Every structure is written in structure tokens, then in C-alpha cells.
Amino acid sequence: SSLRSLLLFDASHNQLTQWPPRKFDSANMVLEKLYLSSNQIAEVTADDAAGAVVMPHVAQLFLSDNKLTRLVEPWLAPHLTVLHLSGNQLTDVSGLSTCVALATLDLSFNQFPEAAPVCRALASLTRLETLALNDNPFVRDDRERAAALAFALGALPLLRVYDNDVVSDDVRRAHLRGRLAVPAAQTALAAAIAGGDGGCDLPGSWLLRAAAP
């Protein structure tokens, strides 16, 4: 099919309810940029018999303003560096833990009730440079919000922009010296992340923080 040679596909501002649609063999396409924002997509379905979402060549994926609630199947997207998921209803993005090439991830304006599950899903994404978690329910709690920031600074060494704010070298140094006003709740968050299903190995810098009085 001629569709297999497409490099860019823009289906934003339509009425799609799932991706990929029937007869759209995305696993065997060379797509690099995929625009699907402002649809009605409630499900990103698995492409292979093993139950994985396969996007072998996609580097930039835009899925903002849809109806997604959970992304739990593993994503086989080795070249995915940019992923926009803002304005959905997401509460679980554990499937994204395999997208280790991600440099930009926008999860703002979703429905994450607590910081620990989303941080656990992101712990393996150590190439992240830009991360947005703002305007989720958990950020209304000062402790949860501060603990998520502590996680981002400790576990994501390349992070340069967090919630649209530049992460300066001074902020990172203050964090590593334990001088940021991070509440003791971070200990519980760290335990929740490390003790999740299957667990995860967090960088040593996560353990260097000391809660300020």
C-alpha cells in the first residue's frame, strides 16, 4: 500500500475513537510524525499478538485533547522522542515505561490522583529533558506536588524544563544538597515508587535529599 511510505500523518480535529483504526497497519509503516490531537480517541490498541503498541519509526506523537484514561500496554516505540498527552483523562501511563528515548513528555491536564504511580512509570525515562505534570489533581496537594518535583530533579538527570519552568543549575544543586523545602512525604513517595508492581531501580541521587525543616 502507498500508505506505508508516509512520513507524516495528520488526523487531528476529527472524530476518531481509537488508534490505530481498522486496516491502518501502523506497525508496518515508516511514519515519523503522527498528529491525532482533538479527536475522541479513548484507546490506543495493541498492534501485535504479544499485546504491545508498536510504533517502530514514530518520533513525534500528538494525542492531546482526547478521551484516553489508561495506557498500560507496553509501547514498542524505540524512536519516540516527543509525546503530547495533555487534556486527556489519564490515571495510568505504566505502558510508557518502555519509551526510553523520550525527551519531551506532556502529561498536563489529566486526572492523576497521586504522584507515586506516574513517577513510577517515568522512572526509566532518564533521557527526559522536558516534562509537564501541571494541572493534575495531585498537584493541589502541596506535599504531593513537592515530592513529584523532588522525583523529577533526582531521577531525571537531563531535565531542563519542568511544568513550563526552566530547571536552573542552581535549583538542581540546591536539590542535591538537600536545601529545597521538600516535605518528609517524599520518603513515602520513594517507597511507593520502589515498591510498585515489579519495582524499579532509582538513581542514587534520589536518596541524597534531606527534607528541610
Side-chain angles (χ1 to χ4, degrees):
S1 167
S2 59
L3 287 176
R4 292 188 177 183
S5 62
L6 278 177
L7 296 177
L8 185 153
F9 185 79
D10 188 347
S12 54
H13 299 280
N14 280 288
Q15 296 296 318
L16 294 174
T17 58
Q18 71 174 47
W19 185 265
R22 292 181 181 178
K23 299 183 179 180
F24 195 95
D25 190 11
S26 59
N28 291 309
M29 299 178 73
V30 295
L31 274 174
E32 295 178 359
K33 296 182 180 180
L34 185 53
Y35 296 86
L36 300 171
S37 296
S38 301
N39 278 283
Q40 302 293 318
I41 297 173
E43 184 179 12
V44 178
T45 58
D47 292 288
D48 70 354
V53 176
V54 183
M55 297 183 182
H57 302 287
V58 174
Q60 299 182 28
L61 175 58
F62 299 83
L63 271 165
S64 298
D65 299 316
N66 278 286
K67 304 292 185 182
L68 295 166
T69 59
R70 302 172 75 236
L71 298 173
V72 295
E73 294 86 1
W75 283 35
L76 303 182
H79 300 290
L80 187 62
T81 59
V82 176
L83 178 57
H84 288 266
L85 290 164
S86 64
N88 281 278
Q89 300 165 25
L90 288 165
T91 59
D92 187 339
V93 289
S94 54
L96 299 183
S97 63
T98 54
C99 297
V100 295
L102 274 175
T104 297
L105 177 59
D106 188 350
L107 293 172
S108 60
F109 294 94
N110 276 284
Q111 295 297 319
F112 298 107
E114 298 176 341
V118 64
C119 290
R120 184 164 59 242
L122 304 184
S124 61
L125 308 184
T126 56
R127 296 184 186 178
L128 278 177
E129 299 176 10
T130 301
L131 174 62
L133 295 174
N134 55 283
D135 295 280
N136 277 283
F138 77 80
V139 303
R140 300 179 192 132
D141 184 298
D142 289 343
R143 291 179 175 237
E144 291 275 318
R145 183 173 66 253
L149 173 59
F151 163 81
L153 291 174
L156 306 176
L158 302 182
L159 194 68
R160 293 294 175 264
V161 179
Y162 179 79
D163 288 353
N164 301 312
D165 290 328
V166 174
V167 177
S168 68
D169 291 338
D170 288 342
V171 168
R172 192 176 292 279
R173 282 193 294 267
H175 163 70
L176 292 176
R177 292 170 184 168
R179 294 179 182 174
L180 291 185
V182 178
Q186 69 181 27
T187 304
L189 176 61
I193 293 171
D197 294 339
C200 65
D201 295 322
L202 294 176
S205 56
W206 173 264
L207 304 175
L208 295 177
R209 289 184 307 279

